[in-house]
Amino acid sequence: MSNTNINGGPAFPVYDDHGQYVNGGGMTLRDYFAAKAMHQFLARSVLPPEFDASELFLMVAARAYEMADAMLKARETP
């Protein structure tokens, strides 16, 4: 499986004057999807006092990447 299939490729690809992709690094589509999902998870969350915030943030980050992976998989089906 190529890295593009795993990460969805670049979120914001850049092309040179000849239409060739220029690998500038940066955010992958998977990272972009996870960031969008994480924002929604946190916007809707109520932080109970007994929760350790660092524990909650790790859980939300993991769930955001699970959502990103599902979004990438959904793109594969026509």
Side-chain angles (χ1 to χ4, degrees):
M1 179 180 276
S2 75
N3 203 24
T4 299
N5 290 340
I6 295 170
N7 293 316
F12 306 102
V14 176
Y15 297 92
D16 65 15
D17 294 338
H18 305 289
Q20 298 295 316
Y21 170 67
V22 178
N23 185 2
M27 182 182 287
T28 66
L29 192 55
R30 182 175 185 253
D31 292 331
Y32 181 73
F33 284 166
K36 292 291 190 175
M38 188 180 312
H39 175 3
Q40 289 303 309
F41 291 151
L42 291 174
R44 298 185 191 306
S45 68
V46 176
L47 303 178
E50 68 274 6
F51 255 58
D52 174 14
S54 62
E55 178 183 325
L56 176 63
F57 294 155
L58 287 173
M59 181 186 69
V60 168
R63 296 301 169 263
Y65 273 101
E66 287 177 9
M67 176 66 78
D69 291 341
M71 293 166 76
L72 288 171
K73 185 173 182 175
R75 290 178 49 145
E76 294 174 4
T77 54

